[in-house]
Amino acid sequence: MASQEILREEPSRGSFINDPRIRSLFFQTLVVILLFSSIWWIIHNVIENLQRLHIASGFGFLRSRAGFDISDTPIAYTSDSTYFRALVVGLLNTIIVAVAGIVLATIVGFAIGIGRLSQNWLIRKICTVYVEIFRNIPPLLVIFFWYSGVLAVLPPPRESIHLPFGSFLNQRGFYLPRAVWGDGSWLIGVALLLAIAMAWFVAHRARQRQRATGQQFPVFWTSVALIVGLPVLAYLASGMPLTFDFPKQSTFNLTGGFWVKPEFLSLLLALSFYTAAFIAEIVRAGIRGVSKGQSEAAGALGLRSGPILRLVVIPQAMRIVIPPLTSQYLNLTKNSSLAIAIGYPDLTATAGTVLNQTGQAVEGVFIMMIAYLVLSLVTSFVMNIVNARMALVER
Amino acid sequence: MKHIAIGILGAAALGFMASAASAGTLDTVKQKGFLQCGVSTGLAGFSAPDDKGDWKGIDADFCRAVAAAVFGDASKVKFTPLSAKERFTALQSGEIDLLSRNTTWTSNRDSALGLDFVGVTYYDGQGFMINAKKLPGVNSALQLSGAAVCVQSGTTTELNLADYFKKNKMEYNPVVFEKLEEVNAAYDAGRCDAYTTDQSGLYGIRLTLSSPADHVVLPEIISKEPLGPAVRQGDDQWAHIARWTYFALLNAEEAGVTQANVEEMKTSTDPNIQRLLGTEPDGKYGADLGLSNDFVVNIVKAVGNYGEMFERNVGSGSPLKIARGINALWTKGGLQYGPPIR
């Protein structure tokens, strides 16, 4: 009986065309062949057409003299530098604005997200309005809002607004005094590193002690005292080597000091305020996602609302928050390419100029794509490590 | 799975078809019935739409002249506004048939970029413009050390600017935008102290500023900017048509053939004018180019001769009021010289 039933369940061997496994194998192979041949065809077509149109190709142009200047140069760059260096400058500018934007967006986003859950009606409503406005306006318009609506209407350089600590604000940007480190200032840096190491050690010991004895230690204030106090002591001990270079009025503009250009400022503010609206929603969802029983249980144990949020709710909320946060970071990095609209020399703008000066369109676009891909993959990689550390550890 | 496979197959087939079409530009243009011409996104005097949306300017008129030569009808032209960055790719890819967009003729563009320059429709040079009201003491570009300078990216202007400040050991802060309108807006808003581009362009841009009278163009000319139309390299027939359209405009001016008297001139017995207007018995200079024998008549009827085109768009007949200067005919001490039609 049993053997007969097994026989009946065997697929009929009428024709191998009707065999689902063979069919599936056949179509998968077919798709792979088509995919690779179309990739091959695209590359072949590009090369052939470039030759037909008498357009020089290859990456040799990267070693030629660039000939154009860039306004923001984090590394030494002049018009005598190579195209390659110009692209590196662009990439660094993208990284600078992306990292600064991610930090600012995270801070603002968390504040707004927590604010949306506040007991205070006014704070809650302000945060809701913020999210609804910035989430629903295209980022390009937010950039234009900051650039043309806020920064461009500031007074011209000769009528700069004086701000405290010798800083100035005008339509050409934001000017801060620049620290000039004199001889012996290395001591301050060493003191700072030492203080950070000590603070870490104190925190580690305090945790051990709390676990063993239940006694708490004011880690936060000790760390602040160490990190601020030690460098100050070192500063006094080394004979106060720090001076400031204040911005001064010259023929055209303010010179000296540290100059933040309006292009960077508006891009940074726009990207971070835009992304912060999304982060706020993610944070709110994360906090809401922690079951109410958790905070009630913590309350029953006698914890106050601050520690409940910090020690119970947020660590659990982070597990929900981090994966979507990663996509927001990636979005921010990619949205930074909108810089081209206001003339911030990011990778897209610089590569665009290189592309146009050399006419190497295919190579230029290829370099841009690879650079953004690598940036995004690195961001994901870092966030995946953070995610893995935050993940629930079964004890 | 099947759907994906069919999709890929379809896409590949489409691609193959697209690459197969590579006939001569003249045939392609005749077949589609109009000339696709790349112009700027709006530069007064060269190519800018007026309040009715019609493109005006020397560059736009050159497009019309070529359309008149090919079709006998100057209205058979469609304009594609292009940024400095888009222009070469648009021509290389075949999106446009002719690039007539205040483009500087350089060796690199003529060779490595696969372009073929037709001639120089406007001899220009790069200059600087400043707001004299805000910067009263500045009357030379050599006083611009430390200035913020607005410039359009991907232009020869951007390169000359870097060279000029380097050569004169001056500092500057480039403020670079991709689109002309963005540069204009930033300069008008006071983001930069000086604006640099071709001098003719500066005069045109000055008219669009909020208070044109406050701005002055500084006397220094820091570069040679021969501006002219370009076609794709490798299509000699099409290059000849564009080139001889330009020469025809010059020869018409030299021979005194104008938009007003061209019909009259057709009866002229001067052999030079007969050859030019295709009225010479048995002459087939137009047909040799792949055009009709009276192509010059069509051109002049549509846009006038070179001098008329110049005066109407940038000269005394325009708000720009630029003098002919080196753009006068060679017979009047200028550089414009058309080889003979014979």
Side-chain angles (χ1 to χ4, degrees):
Chain A
M1 253 335 249
S3 62
Q4 267 182 338
E5 265 179 26
I6 289 166
L7 272 177
R8 212 174 296 150
E9 275 184 5
E10 283 254 312
S12 73
R13 303 191 176 213
S15 158
F16 73 90
I17 296 173
N18 293 325
D19 186 330
R21 274 174 310 164
I22 292 178
R23 276 173 70 145
S24 137
L25 200 67
F26 171 73
F27 279 112
Q28 288 189 44
T29 320
L30 187 70
V31 168
V32 167
I33 290 171
L34 281 173
L35 186 70
F36 278 97
S37 50
S38 53
I39 290 172
W40 176 84
W41 173 75
I42 288 169
I43 295 171
H44 173 78
N45 197 33
V46 165
I47 294 171
E48 194 172 79
N49 277 324
L50 286 177
Q51 279 169 353
R52 186 172 58 80
L53 294 167
H54 310 278
I55 299 169
S57 56
F59 288 94
F61 72 93
L62 288 173
R63 284 193 299 275
S64 325
R65 176 179 182 270
F68 61 91
D69 282 307
I70 300 177
S71 55
D72 288 277
T73 48
I75 53 169
Y77 172 87
T78 67
S79 57
D80 288 331
S81 307
T82 58
Y83 283 121
F84 180 74
R85 203 169 176 87
L87 289 172
V88 172
V89 168
L91 180 64
L92 287 175
N93 280 331
T94 293
I95 293 174
I96 288 170
V97 80
V99 169
I102 284 172
V103 170
L104 193 58
T106 310
I107 294 170
V108 176
F110 270 74
I112 301 280
I114 293 170
R116 283 201 75 176
L117 298 170
S118 165
Q119 305 289 323
N120 184 319
W121 182 86
L122 187 65
I123 293 178
R124 206 167 59 231
K125 286 299 161 191
I126 289 176
C127 293
T128 308
V129 169
Y130 174 92
V131 168
E132 289 307 331
I133 288 179
F134 279 97
R135 196 171 57 161
N136 292 313
I137 296 177
L140 186 61
L141 291 184
V142 183
I143 293 175
F144 280 135
F145 164 75
W146 281 105
Y147 191 63
S148 317
V150 179
L151 295 172
V153 297
L154 287 170
R158 281 164 200 239
E159 298 148 29
S160 307
I161 304 170
H162 289 244
L163 295 174
F165 309 113
S167 50
F168 294 89
L169 189 64
N170 64 35
Q171 64 179 176
R172 303 275 171 82
F174 186 40
Y175 300 78
L176 296 160
R178 196 184 57 213
V180 182
W181 303 97
D183 293 333
S185 46
W186 57 271
L187 205 61
I188 302 171
V190 171
L192 183 68
L193 288 178
L194 197 68
I196 291 170
M198 281 167 75
W200 183 82
F201 183 71
V202 166
H204 184 70
R205 285 303 300 267
R207 220 177 302 133
Q208 279 188 338
R209 195 174 74 148
Q210 193 186 350
R211 240 174 238 162
T213 66
Q215 286 170 312
Q216 289 194 333
F217 185 78
V219 175
F220 180 74
W221 293 111
T222 319
S223 312
V224 169
L226 278 170
I227 289 171
V228 174
L230 270 186
V232 168
L233 276 179
Y235 169 66
L236 294 172
S238 58
M240 298 189 268
L242 178 65
T243 51
F244 284 98
D245 173 23
F246 287 96
K248 293 177 293 293
Q249 185 73 51
S250 71
T251 328
F252 294 104
N253 204 346
L254 297 166
T255 49
F258 183 73
W259 180 18
V260 187
K261 296 192 178 71
E263 287 80 24
F264 174 78
L265 213 55
S266 40
L267 184 68
L268 173 67
L269 291 174
L271 287 180
S272 41
F273 278 50
Y274 174 78
T275 313
F278 291 90
I279 292 179
E281 284 301 271
I282 291 168
V283 168
R284 188 173 70 111
I287 292 174
R288 274 282 157 82
V290 178
S291 92
K292 208 163 184 242
Q294 295 282 327
S295 41
E296 282 173 355
L301 286 173
L303 287 179
R304 273 183 247 164
S305 65
I308 290 177
L309 196 66
R310 199 156 44 83
L311 299 172
V312 178
V313 178
I314 291 198
Q316 298 187 68
M318 288 310 277
R319 289 180 197 136
I320 308 172
V321 166
I322 286 174
L325 200 59
T326 309
S327 358
Q328 289 307 323
Y329 289 172
L330 296 179
N331 272 349
L332 190 144
T333 310
K334 288 181 286 177
N335 280 343
S336 74
S337 62
L338 294 170
I340 195 161
I342 53 163
Y344 176 71
D346 77 326
L347 179 67
T348 313
T350 322
T353 306
V354 170
L355 181 161
N356 196 25
Q357 296 293 7
T358 58
Q360 310 285 321
V362 177
E363 292 84 349
V365 172
F366 182 74
I367 290 172
M368 273 192 262
M369 277 161 49
I370 294 291
Y372 279 105
L373 185 66
V374 169
L375 274 186
S376 294
L377 289 178
V378 168
T379 314
S380 301
F381 180 71
V382 171
M383 290 303 285
N384 283 343
I385 292 173
V386 175
N387 194 29
R389 292 199 60 163
M390 283 284 176
L392 198 63
V393 184
E394 302 275 348
R395 286 209 183 97
Chain B
M1 189 80 85
K2 233 183 210 168
H3 290 287
I4 299 171
I6 291 166
I8 291 176
L9 209 62
L14 272 178
F16 274 113
M17 275 193 281
S19 69
S22 62
T25 313
L26 179 63
D27 296 334
T28 324
V29 168
K30 274 186 173 163
Q31 202 173 17
K32 63 183 175 185
F34 60 87
L35 171 78
Q36 194 77 46
C37 200
V39 289
S40 77
T41 51
L43 178 65
F46 287 83
S47 46
D50 65 4
D51 45 13
K52 290 187 212 73
D54 292 331
W55 286 87
K56 291 282 151 78
I58 287 193
D59 287 343
D61 276 352
F62 187 78
C63 297
R64 290 198 179 91
V66 174
V70 174
F71 297 107
D73 181 355
S75 66
K76 288 193 173 166
V77 53
K78 288 192 182 168
F79 294 99
T80 307
L82 298 167
S83 77
K85 194 171 139 186
E86 296 158 348
R87 55 185 166 179
F88 301 127
T89 322
L91 185 61
Q92 287 162 352
S93 66
E95 190 187 333
I96 54 171
D97 307 308
L98 175 72
L99 178 72
S100 181
R101 189 205 169 282
N102 51 292
T103 300
T104 307
W105 185 352
T106 68
S107 64
N108 168 265
R109 289 173 178 176
D110 221 1
S111 53
L113 263 60
L115 310 185
D116 199 351
F117 278 84
V118 163
V120 182
T121 49
Y122 190 98
Y123 289 95
D124 211 338
Q126 185 178 341
F128 292 92
M129 175 164 66
I130 58 155
N131 187 332
K133 216 172 169 188
K134 281 191 193 152
L135 301 167
V138 179
N139 47 33
S140 157
L142 293 167
Q143 287 169 283
L144 288 177
S145 188
V149 183
C150 275
V151 64
Q152 196 180 3
S153 73
T155 54
T156 49
T157 315
E158 194 183 8
L159 305 177
N160 297 330
L161 173 69
D163 290 352
Y164 182 74
F165 276 79
K166 182 177 144 75
K167 190 177 81 185
N168 291 299
K169 298 193 174 53
M170 301 194 298
E171 297 275 307
Y172 75 109
N173 166 234
V175 182
V176 185
F177 295 91
E178 198 195 335
K179 294 209 170 78
L180 190 66
E181 304 88 84
E182 288 162 357
V183 197
N184 296 352
Y187 174 71
D188 210 9
R191 174 65 186 87
C192 10
D193 303 295
Y195 190 134
T196 185
T197 186
D198 302 336
Q199 264 203 339
S200 61
L202 290 177
Y203 288 108
I205 289 154
R206 187 166 65 170
L207 295 174
T208 66
L209 298 175
S210 48
S211 55
D214 292 351
H215 300 267
V216 291
V217 175
L218 298 175
E220 283 85 359
I221 290 184
I222 67 169
S223 69
K224 292 192 286 193
E225 304 291 333
L227 309 181
V231 295
R232 267 185 300 281
Q233 197 177 316
D235 186 346
D236 290 344
Q237 186 193 30
W238 185 243
H240 290 157
I241 289 172
R243 190 164 293 132
W244 283 94
T245 301
Y246 162 59
F247 292 151
L249 287 163
L250 294 177
N251 285 324
E253 187 186 3
E254 199 181 326
V257 178
T258 65
Q259 207 166 6
N261 71 8
V262 59
E263 280 298 329
E264 223 176 287
M265 284 287 196
K266 273 160 85 174
T267 57
S268 167
T269 50
D270 179 346
N272 192 29
I273 291 176
Q274 282 186 332
R275 279 193 297 270
L276 180 68
L277 300 182
T279 50
E280 186 190 66
D282 306 324
K284 54 180 185 64
Y285 306 110
D288 289 344
L289 286 167
L291 303 170
S292 64
N293 277 330
D294 62 346
F295 78 105
V296 183
V297 177
N298 293 330
I299 292 170
V300 176
K301 262 192 199 164
V303 298
N305 62 38
Y306 178 79
E308 289 176 290
M309 223 164 90
F310 189 98
E311 296 301 344
R312 182 174 63 235
N313 293 307
V314 296
S316 53
S318 76
L320 293 170
K321 308 259 181 275
I322 298 174
R324 277 296 282 275
I326 50 174
N327 287 297
L329 285 185
W330 65 286
T331 47
K332 292 181 184 147
L335 296 173
Q336 294 291 359
Y337 185 109
I341 292 182
R342 66 183 313 149

